[in-house]
Amino acid sequence: MKLYTRSGDDGTTGLFGGDRVAKDHPRVEAYGTVDELNAAVGLARAACDPDQTFGQRLIAIFESIQSRLFDIGADLATPAGSPHEDKVLRISDAQVKEAEQWIDEIDGGNEPMKSFILPGGTELAARLHVARTICRRAERMMLRVHHQEPITEGAIVYINRLSDLLFAMARRANREAGTTDIPWTGPEKG
């Protein structure tokens, strides 16, 4: 089987179920951004030290997250009413709760925030902040679709929780490495 099909040469792509839409359709933009997020999570995962307990924990969490992001992409590529709708995995309440448990676990090792922080610190933290910003964009794209046609609400909630988790992970990555978060400093008042 060849990697190229030529079916998208006219600027369209196929949704799961057979419908063809423009490659810049909001639904395609949404699942493309989720795919970009999955790649960014993979990049953060590659920066984890598997010889450290924290790195091992993140790798385990990322494995689940990346699979869920793949599920969300398939969900977004399958409009309601598609003949294949029943074949697509949807994000469950249990998966949202699992993400909330991860947030509590990871953020429990962070100092309370005293100011806004800037993205950065260690390489792992910086990669996690990039993933967080892509996650927020994915959420905005998903909501844009949701305002036009229904998409699974569990997917939207999961993406919202995931951005919080990535933020907590970035802060914790700095803490585990002995690096302080970079505080935002407002303009000097004079």
Side-chain angles (χ1 to χ4, degrees), residues 9-57:
D9 291 351
D10 64 352
T12 65
T13 190
L15 298 176
F16 196 50
D19 291 344
R20 294 198 67 79
V21 296
K23 289 184 178 182
D24 63 352
H25 185 282
R27 185 174 284 279
V28 178
E29 289 281 353
Y31 71 69
T33 305
V34 170
D35 186 38
E36 181 183 353
L37 170 58
N38 208 339
V41 169
L43 190 63
R45 181 180 175 173
C48 291
D49 185 345
D51 295 328
Q52 294 180 342
T53 303
F54 181 67
Q56 292 169 1
R57 184 64 183 132

Side-chain angles (χ1 to χ4, degrees), residues 34-180:
V34 170
D35 186 38
E36 181 183 353
L37 170 58
N38 208 339
V41 169
L43 190 63
R45 181 180 175 173
C48 291
D49 185 345
D51 295 328
Q52 294 180 342
T53 303
F54 181 67
Q56 292 169 1
R57 184 64 183 132
L58 287 187
I59 290 168
I61 293 171
F62 287 148
E63 185 175 319
S64 180
I65 288 170
Q66 288 190 280
S67 291
R68 296 304 66 78
L69 290 173
F70 199 86
D71 295 341
I72 290 170
D75 185 347
L76 290 168
T78 311
S82 165
H84 301 291
E85 187 175 12
D86 61 333
K87 296 178 183 162
V88 175
L89 298 174
R90 308 293 184 186
I91 296 296
S92 68
D93 290 341
Q95 291 164 327
V96 170
K97 289 204 180 308
E98 181 179 46
E100 290 171 349
Q101 290 168 349
W102 291 331
I103 294 167
D104 293 342
E105 172 192 345
I106 299 297
D107 200 43
N110 288 332
E111 292 290 323
M113 283 183 50
K114 296 181 174 111
S115 69
F116 291 113
I117 64 165
L118 302 177
T122 64
E123 181 178 350
L124 175 57
R127 289 180 187 202
L128 286 161
H129 279 296
V130 169
R132 175 186 56 79
T133 63
I134 296 169
C135 190
R136 286 292 188 202
R137 181 162 35 92
E139 181 181 21
R140 291 189 302 272
M141 301 298 274
M142 290 167 67
L143 288 170
R144 188 171 297 140
V145 174
H146 192 58
H147 292 309
Q148 297 173 6
E149 54 187 292
I151 63 173
T152 307
E153 296 215 15
I156 296 169
V157 173
Y158 187 87
I159 289 291
N160 187 34
R161 294 300 181 281
L162 182 55
S163 64
D164 293 335
L165 176 59
L166 293 167
F167 181 76
M169 287 175 163
R171 293 194 64 228
R172 181 76 178 271
N174 280 339
R175 183 171 170 82
E176 291 287 328
T179 302
T180 56

